Amino acid sequence: MTRIGTPLSPSATKVMLLGAGELGKEVAVELMRLGVEVIAVDRYADAPAQQVAHRAHVVAMTDPAALRAVIALERPHLIVPEIEAIATEVLADVEAEGLALVIPTARAVQLTMNREGIRRLAAETLGLPTSKYEFASTGEDLAAGAERVGYPCFVKPVMSSSGKGQSYVETPDQIAAAWAYALSAGRVEQARVIVEGRIAFDFEITLLTVRALDAKGEIETRFCAPVGHRQVKGDYVESWQPQAMSAAALARAQAMAMEVTSALGGLGLFGVELFVKGDQVWFSEVSPRPHDTGLVTLATQQLSEFALHARAILGLPVDTTLREPGASAVIYGGMDATGVVFEAIEAALAVPTAELRLFGKPEAFERRRMGVALARGADVDEARARAREAASRVKVVAG
């Protein structure tokens, strides 16, 4: 039986978010609706989730001593990582010492925060189909790895997020620039990249997969309807749900997601990224937390991915029912500025079924995601058109 105390009292059920971006903000809101006390930690002040949490801390989470100190100060019951740049060895120690439960597990966080760990688990341990790949720690190793994988190929830091540091490389003379770009955006100091061969897929999906307790208290795996998405330079610009796919491909996708999330263990929502061509499916990546493409579920599902994550980690029942087709479209900063202003909100919300989520990030960049437009429709095409139109109407100006 799950028991939740009263926030800001000795009985409080305390959850610490490591990373307080827009996804963490939605998780924080869902947790607070259930009476949980939320502490949001990030490397900069006034991050989105910090604006709604009960308490906030600014900490260099790659600093083991600093991370350990904030955990010791707050003594949370659950620790929920949202980003890659974390001293994961501290989480392993905290879990081993029984000081807090790491979501989904400290081992899962360590494996998935690093593309090398999760790729080796998926391809070499579980035998799941993936693209060809090599790892490299020098520019020379990268050039040699690219030759073995074949051109065109993709170069990515083993630790980064939202497409940062990713390059599409068509010829050997582009390798040096790809290496330099990957180093500039990686989230750790040591140089390490993955070079991946290109798969001629029809589309890519995020299969939101939930590990939650059933009525008997046993772990049960459920799947949301597949989320389709379009990326530019590794960063999603729009997503929609459901993505149409064959019954055979969906069954294979669910089997792969079940296998990899079972290997990772724990409770919570996982974003499993897969490539699909006809009935064929290849594993790409997995995040042990809500996924940016899953923002669309705020408009489409009975419970959004954030509500599903909150319920699952608390041991509560989940429902992955899709209500109706919908889509999301990203609103970019369009400039480098602090304290930007959003205009034409009324015009955006005049689009039928449109909703907005403006994240409240204190600083904007040209390609920084500052919000999303959401919309529903009779079908995915109508929803996508509405979401794109609503997003295009929002104007970001200097404050």
Side-chain angles (χ1 to χ4, degrees):
M1 180 178 69
T2 297
R3 302 175 72 222
I4 296 176
T6 299
L8 306 176
S9 81
S11 73
T13 302
K14 298 166 68 173
V15 172
M16 175 177 283
L17 303 178
L18 296 182
E22 61 267 29
L23 305 183
K25 180 179 182 179
E26 295 292 342
V27 172
V29 169
E30 293 296 344
L31 288 169
M32 294 171 82
R33 284 176 171 154
L34 293 169
V36 172
E37 184 174 315
V38 177
I39 304 102
V41 180
D42 212 309
R43 59 182 174 78
Y44 67 95
D46 302 326
Q50 291 179 335
Q51 298 171 25
V52 299
H54 290 94
R55 281 184 307 288
H57 298 276
V58 177
V59 171
M61 290 174 287
T62 54
D63 180 341
L67 180 57
R68 181 82 186 212
V70 76
I71 293 171
L73 173 67
E74 289 288 358
R75 299 190 63 81
H77 297 95
L78 303 179
I79 297 174
V80 182
E82 193 216 4
I83 63 171
E84 289 80 6
I86 297 173
T88 54
E89 66 275 16
V90 171
L91 301 185
D93 291 342
V94 166
E95 184 177 84
E97 294 165 22
L99 300 178
L101 179 65
V102 178
I103 300 298
T105 66
R107 173 179 171 272
V109 172
Q110 288 179 309
L111 284 171
T112 56
M113 293 298 185
N114 185 314
R115 287 188 172 91
E116 184 165 1
I118 192 59
R119 178 57 62 94
R120 293 195 186 282
L121 172 68
E124 299 170 22
T125 302
L126 301 179
L128 301 182
T130 70
S131 62
K132 293 181 180 179
Y133 64 92
E134 296 279 346
F135 295 98
S137 297
T138 67
E140 293 75 18
D141 287 346
L142 174 58
E147 289 293 336
R148 288 191 293 271
V149 164
Y151 293 95
C153 57
F154 296 91
V155 175
K156 308 173 184 177
V158 295
M159 293 182 72
S160 70
S161 63
S162 300
K164 295 179 178 65
Q166 298 186 20
S167 298
Y168 177 61
V169 180
E170 298 181 279
T171 59
D173 59 5
Q174 296 174 332
I175 284 291
W179 172 253
Y181 183 50
L183 295 192
S184 72
R187 288 198 165 184
V188 292
E189 293 181 1
Q190 59 267 36
R192 189 73 168 163
V193 303
I194 182 173
V195 53
E196 296 181 290
R198 182 184 178 188
I199 293 175
F201 56 83
D202 295 331
F203 53 87
E204 53 188 322
I205 65 167
T206 304
L207 189 61
L208 299 172
T209 303
V210 192
R211 286 172 56 85
L213 299 181
D214 63 16
K216 298 179 181 179
E218 298 175 354
I219 294 178
E220 177 184 42
T221 301
R222 297 194 184 190
F223 306 98
C224 299
V227 174
H229 50 91
R230 182 171 65 87
Q231 297 190 7
V232 175
K233 295 182 178 179
D235 196 9
Y236 113 95
V237 296
E238 63 170 332
S239 64
W240 54 89
Q241 191 187 31
Q243 166 66 54
M245 55 194 297
S246 72
L250 180 59
R252 287 188 177 128
Q254 291 178 342
M256 285 186 196
M258 169 81 86
E259 194 163 0
V260 73
T261 56
S262 295
L264 293 173
L267 297 174
L269 180 134
F270 298 74
V272 183
E273 295 182 70
L274 303 155
F275 300 123
V276 182
K277 182 176 179 64
D279 292 340
Q280 294 180 278
V281 182
W282 295 265
F283 173 84
S284 176
E285 295 182 6
V286 58
S287 301
R289 57 189 182 275
H291 199 270
D292 51 9
T293 61
L295 281 160
V296 66
T297 61
L298 290 164
T300 55
Q301 295 192 167
Q302 187 69 30
L303 294 174
S304 73
E305 65 168 349
F306 310 104
L308 290 171
H309 196 49
R311 286 197 182 196
I313 68 177
L314 294 172
L316 300 173
V318 299
D319 180 353
T320 57
T321 301
L322 180 76
R323 291 200 320 256
E324 56 187 316
S328 74
V330 170
I331 299 166
Y332 287 106
M335 67 180 75
D336 293 350
T338 300
V340 297
V341 174
F342 299 90
E343 295 182 344
I345 303 299
E346 66 279 8
L349 292 176
V351 174
T353 76
E355 301 177 40
L356 294 178
R357 295 293 188 277
L358 302 178
F359 303 143
K361 294 178 179 178
E363 190 174 5
F365 306 121
E366 181 73 25
R367 295 294 293 175
R368 191 177 201 187
R369 191 165 56 226
M370 302 299 286
V372 292
L374 305 164
R376 300 176 301 282
D379 53 37
V380 161
D381 289 341
E382 183 176 56
R384 289 178 67 183
R386 287 173 171 176
R388 287 195 298 264
E389 176 62 24
S392 72
R393 293 185 183 186
V394 177
K395 307 301 179 188
V396 183
V397 301

